[in-house]
């Protein structure tokens, strides 16, 4: 992975391709990113670039973050995210990255935090089948067998069993999406298909790990 940039999901839209096909796209606002730090094997044990995105007032910063921005000599940003490299990156502290580091037709991965759904049952969370709907049935949406024999007192629930619980708010990566259009004038990137997260959510756009070309 040699390229990455932070952006904000604005929602979905649709555009027409040159052949007349209607293409559903996710709209990502990619304001200029600032390189806040460059990490190397000699100093940190690995290669990475720390990117800053979004403006924030200095009064909302903690003292450690305030000191970090002052040391780097850059304006404070609301979000900080790292992007790792396999070799020393060709970036400098204070450098600005824009959406034009990608081009139309590039294959990318988009990383974000999925929408939180709260507590959910197995039907919604794991797409399980519901129980009988006939008159007298008492198992409409309940969790079915847990696998082991429980009535004898010697059974147990194995780790990884799909059960009700908290759904969403997970780190999700959608791979092999195609960049449909880059609008540098409005700092917008149009990506074919859906991407994780709610409207206004932070996403990281990076070069595809497993290219589908």
């Amino acid at each position: 992975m040699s390229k990455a940039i932070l952006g904000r999901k604005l929602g979905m839209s649709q555009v027409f391709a040159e052949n007349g096909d209607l293409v559903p796209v996710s709209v990502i606002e990619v304001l200029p990113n600032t390189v806040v730090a460059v990490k190397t094997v000699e100093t940190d044990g690995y290669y990475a670039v720390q990117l800053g995105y979004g403006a924030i007032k200095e009064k909302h910063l903690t003292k450690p973050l305030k000191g970090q921005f002052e040391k780097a000599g850059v304006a404070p940003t609301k979000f900080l995210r790292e992007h790792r490299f396999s070799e020393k990156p060709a970036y400098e502290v204070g450098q600005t990255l824009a959406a034009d580091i990608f081009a139309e037709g590039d294959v990318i991965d988009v990383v974000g935090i999925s929408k939180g759904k709260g507590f959910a049952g197995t039907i919604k969370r794991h797409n399980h089948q519901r129980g009988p709907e006939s008159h007298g049935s008492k198992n409409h949406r309940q969790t079915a067998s847990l696998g082991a024999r429980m009535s004898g007192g010697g059974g147990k629930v194995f780790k990884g069993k799909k059960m009700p619980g908290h759904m969403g708010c997970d780190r999700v990566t959608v791979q092999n999406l195609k960049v449909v259009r880059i609008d540098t004038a409005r700092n917008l990137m149009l990506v074919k298909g859906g991407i994780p997260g709610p409207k206004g959510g932070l996403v990281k756009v990076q070069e595809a790990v497993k290219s589908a070309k």
Side-chain angles (χ1 to χ4, degrees), residues 32-185:
N33 285 209
T34 305
V35 178
V36 179
V38 177
K39 300 192 174 184
T40 62
V41 172
E42 293 76 19
T43 58
D44 303 279
Y46 62 96
Y47 292 119
V49 167
Q50 195 175 61
L51 300 175
Y53 180 83
I56 187 174
K57 294 182 179 179
E58 190 172 316
K59 67 179 181 179
H60 297 309
L61 295 174
T62 61
K63 286 186 177 181
L65 280 177
K66 183 179 178 182
Q68 182 178 352
F69 288 117
E70 289 178 351
K71 181 180 178 181
V74 298
T77 58
K78 186 175 182 179
F79 300 103
L80 284 176
R81 295 293 186 273
E82 280 192 6
H83 182 69
R84 291 207 176 194
F85 291 82
S86 57
E87 56 186 17
K88 189 174 182 179
Y91 291 99
E92 297 180 356
V93 175
Q95 184 178 345
T96 301
L97 306 180
D100 56 6
I101 65 171
F102 293 99
E104 296 181 8
D106 284 353
V107 180
I108 60 171
D109 295 340
V110 179
V111 185
I113 303 298
S114 62
K115 292 181 180 179
K117 304 292 184 179
F119 188 92
T122 55
I123 293 178
K124 180 176 180 179
R125 191 182 186 202
H126 301 295
N127 199 29
H128 283 186
Q129 186 177 357
R130 61 168 295 144
E133 298 186 47
S134 58
H135 177 71
S137 172
K138 297 181 180 179
N139 182 22
H140 298 300
R141 299 180 66 91
Q142 296 175 5
T143 305
S145 172
L146 299 183
R149 181 181 177 185
M150 307 297 291
S151 59
K156 68 174 184 178
V157 180
F158 292 97
K159 289 184 178 180
K161 181 67 180 176
K162 293 180 179 179
M163 299 182 69
H166 185 269
M167 181 179 178
C169 286
D170 297 317
R171 188 177 187 269
V172 178
T173 301
V174 180
Q175 297 182 325
N176 296 330
L177 298 176
K178 185 178 180 181
V179 177
V180 177
R181 192 171 299 169
I182 300 291
D183 189 342
T184 54

Side-chain angles (χ1 to χ4, degrees), residues 196-208:
K199 292 181 180 179
L202 181 73
V203 295
K204 183 172 80 165
V205 180
Q206 62 188 24
E207 225 172 1

